[in-house]
Amino acid sequence: MSLSLTVLGTASPHPGPGRPCSGYLVRGGGAEVWVDAGPGTFAELQRHTDPRRLTAIWISHLHADHSADLLAAVYAFAYGGMTPPVPVPVYAPGDCPRRLAGFLGRPDVRFLDGILEFRPLHDGHTVRHRDLRLTSRAVVHDTEAYGLRAECQGSVLAYSGDSGPCEALSELARDADLFLCEADIDAHREGEQRVHLTPEDAGACAKGARELLVTHVGPTLTREAAAGRAALVFGGRTTAAREGDTVSL
């Protein structure tokens, strides 16, 4: 199977009608990985695959707009008749299982042992599922956060997660066929920590990639404006991610 990306959600910082928060389905080499689990994305995931078929779940960071639908998955897997044949690996920052257990009022996550298997991310974390290789890089945000590089049979997809400008993003994007990159904010405020990207930042970080797909556009921008501004800096094909779209690399 060739590498493909299906957009489940793009909204920031909250879902809107017909527009869930960040979430994507990455498929390649016989593997299917749910990348980020923003609110509303578990329902959209079911439009494109049976969640019991998931090979893995990968979470860039634990802000709710990227992770809250893990709760929906827990209820589906544990109580909704969607129990996977084997526990699904969840690659996420190390505090993920404790937060899930706390939200559900449990002392620990042993009650999830039959459905989810938590594996903490770190900078340079690499794992292979069938012919799909996933490499995570730590990026700059106001919490522990990672970007992703997915490789399959010579095709490369890079994903920024949520990040401010940093060298790790450029490294992830280098020689990628597609760079899926956030463009959350209109401008940086003077003196404020840079934990998100402007469209111009996204275009600059994407310089080594063949194509840029802008996502996670915040309420001060439109998707069209963000893609247009990013394209002026990137200089290559630039489009805005939309729910339901599938890109084959």
Side-chain angles (χ1 to χ4, degrees), residues 28-131:
E32 300 190 33
V33 181
W34 182 16
V35 173
D36 275 348
T41 59
F42 186 73
E44 293 304 306
L45 180 70
Q46 294 169 71
R47 294 184 188 274
H48 303 281
T49 192
D50 183 338
R52 288 170 289 196
R53 294 176 44 134
L54 286 173
T55 310
I57 300 170
W58 187 93
I59 303 296
S60 64
H61 64 294
L62 299 182
H63 286 163
D65 58 335
H66 290 254
S67 66
D69 254 22
L70 284 175
L71 293 168
V74 166
Y75 270 76
F77 291 166
Y79 315 118
M82 292 188 185
T83 305
V86 295
V88 180
V90 179
Y91 302 102
D95 201 38
C96 184
R98 184 192 66 82
R99 293 198 190 187
L100 272 178
F103 188 90
L104 294 168
R106 303 286 188 129
D108 54 51
V109 292
R110 285 180 291 181
F111 73 104
L112 298 177
D113 283 351
I115 57 174
L116 299 177
E117 180 184 330
F118 293 94
R119 303 180 184 180
L121 290 176
H122 58 78
D123 188 34
H125 180 280
T126 301
V127 66
R128 181 182 290 275
H129 286 285
R130 300 170 187 164
D131 287 332

